[in-house]
Amino acid sequence: MSVTAAIRGRDGLFELGPMALSCGQQLPNARLAYRLFGELNADRSNLVLYPSSYGAWPEDIDWVVGPILDPERWCVLLVSQFGNGRSSSPSTSAMGLAEQGWVISHADNVAAQCRLIQERFAVERLALIYGWSMGAQQAYHWAALEPQRVERICCLCGTARTTPHNRLFLLSLRQALTADPAWNGQRFTAPPEQGLRSFALIYASWAASQAYYRDGHHTALGFTSVEEYVEQSWLPAYRRHDPRDLLAMLDTWLANDLGAAVGRSLAAALGRITARTTVIAGSHDLYFPPDDCAAEAACIPGARFERLESVLGHRAGNPREAPREQAMIRAALGRLLMD
């Protein structure tokens, strides 16, 4: 069970109808999948939004309800981003891939989520957006595109614009999948088994730090080698997804650029944020190094930057089985909530 027995999430679908996307395509019968914990208070001022990270389904990230986000105080709304297989995605809808002119932007995610909180929950202002990785990207977009609707944001291990170095990582993942013999240039004709194995190897080498492997954290989990670790732990996490969805989410990440979404420079776009902001960077995060996160935080009025010391690398921001990192995140969030 991903949360304690006393905490039960309620799953829902929000039907958006036809939705025009930033790429120029129109998605018929768009929908958002979500999971809700806790209850709205009388004045509807306690709603917390947690947008999903890459490849994450609610059961992967809802552990935060309890250890990080108290469902007695907050009504916590986990929303699956477009492309992740639960909300509208290539595997579940008419959505195509970049090869057919379909690229979901975070502005699209924000527009859909904004309708969800207004029309389904009658909430005008979010108490907090809590986001890790691609969830942090969405939090930045929310706070700049809808500043009047966000009171606070907590951005863990993510940036408002994809850096050139991070872009290389994403392109290597896309190349790994589309180099598979099952890819014909437009679609997959069979499961891309070799592509998925290469994909998992690349992901595992970036998501955790050099120190993580050097210190033997993977062997402490019971794996005898990095090869076994990838085969038994990482590969199943990607095999469960339709490979088209994996590509769609990569393309959203590649397109992540708050400055372009706002039509200004990145610094000016970040300067639009009025929400009280905490930016948390993992000390050993290879995707979003502390220097990159700190540079963006410096552009947000009044933002607090915090460094999370952990060899978990990027996964320090989603420390499901790491009580030490959980405690540090809980403390940082507590400081934000007291502001």
Side-chain angles (χ1 to χ4, degrees):
M1 186 176 296
S2 56
V3 291
T4 65
I7 305 170
R8 300 289 184 184
R10 290 98 71 195
D11 290 331
L13 278 176
F14 179 64
E15 302 290 346
L16 293 146
M19 181 174 174
L21 302 173
S22 300
C23 63
Q25 301 282 358
Q26 177 159 299
L27 185 60
N29 305 314
R31 57 170 48 182
L32 286 181
Y34 64 87
R35 180 170 291 180
L36 188 70
F37 296 86
E39 302 293 339
L40 284 170
N41 57 17
D43 61 2
R44 307 183 108 71
S45 63
N46 68 331
L47 187 63
V48 173
L49 175 67
Y50 186 1
S52 66
S53 47
Y54 185 85
W57 291 336
E59 56 266 34
D60 304 318
I61 56 176
D62 67 3
W63 68 267
V64 302
V65 181
I68 306 294
L69 299 170
D70 181 2
E72 297 297 321
R73 178 181 180 185
W74 307 108
C75 182
V76 183
L77 176 64
L78 279 68
V79 179
S80 293
Q81 65 175 308
F82 285 138
N84 84 334
R86 297 286 174 85
S87 293
S88 292
S89 306
S91 65
T92 63
S93 72
M95 185 187 298
L97 299 174
E99 284 76 10
Q100 295 89 45
W102 292 78
V103 177
I104 298 295
S105 75
H106 283 315
D108 298 323
N109 281 313
V110 170
Q113 293 164 16
C114 189
R115 283 189 54 193
L116 169 65
I117 69 163
Q118 288 181 294
E119 296 175 25
R120 177 63 56 89
F121 299 102
V123 168
E124 292 298 321
R125 186 172 173 85
L126 290 162
L128 168 71
I129 303 178
Y130 178 95
W132 169 63
S133 194
M134 287 188 80
Q137 294 170 7
Q138 292 169 74
Y140 282 123
H141 277 71
W142 254 101
L145 294 171
E146 299 285 345
Q148 74 283 4
R149 299 192 185 281
V150 185
E151 189 169 345
R152 304 175 190 86
I153 60 172
C154 183
C155 299
L156 296 94
C157 303
T159 55
R161 180 168 67 191
T162 298
T163 65
H165 188 252
N166 192 212
R167 184 176 181 83
L168 288 172
F169 160 67
L170 300 170
L171 291 173
S172 71
L173 290 171
R174 206 179 199 286
Q175 180 67 21
L177 278 182
T178 58
D180 191 278
W183 175 255
N184 68 6
Q186 293 289 318
R187 62 186 181 89
F188 294 100
T189 58
E193 288 297 331
Q194 186 56 50
L196 284 168
R197 184 164 276 104
S198 299
F199 189 99
L201 284 165
I202 295 168
Y203 228 112
S205 69
W206 278 71
S209 70
Q210 295 93 335
Y212 177 89
Y213 291 108
R214 183 174 61 245
D215 294 347
H217 288 271
H218 63 296
T219 58
L221 296 173
F223 301 104
T224 60
S225 65
V226 291
E227 291 88 348
E228 185 180 79
Y229 178 47
V230 171
E231 187 74 21
Q232 296 185 21
S233 180
W234 286 88
L235 185 55
Y238 300 115
R239 273 186 174 151
R240 66 182 184 161
H241 286 279
D242 188 299
R244 295 171 296 169
D245 296 344
L246 294 174
L247 290 180
M249 288 182 286
L250 282 180
D251 290 334
T252 299
W253 190 340
L254 281 163
N256 171 50
D257 185 344
L258 180 61
V262 173
R264 301 186 180 186
S265 68
L266 178 61
L270 290 166
R272 286 171 51 91
I273 295 176
T274 57
R276 294 190 286 281
T277 300
T278 290
V279 174
I280 302 175
S283 61
H284 290 61
D285 191 341
L286 303 180
Y287 303 165
F288 309 107
D291 286 351
D292 291 339
C293 297
E296 291 189 350
C299 297
I300 302 172
R304 177 187 288 116
F305 173 75
E306 305 217 12
R307 181 182 171 104
L308 178 58
E309 294 293 337
S310 172
V311 300
L312 294 181
H314 183 58
R315 281 185 153 184
N318 185 40
R320 184 171 186 154
E321 306 295 338
R324 174 180 167 274
E325 284 78 2
Q326 289 180 23
M328 289 188 285
I329 293 171
R330 191 163 53 245
L333 184 59
R335 289 187 283 274
L336 173 63
L337 295 174
M338 287 191 297
D339 289 343

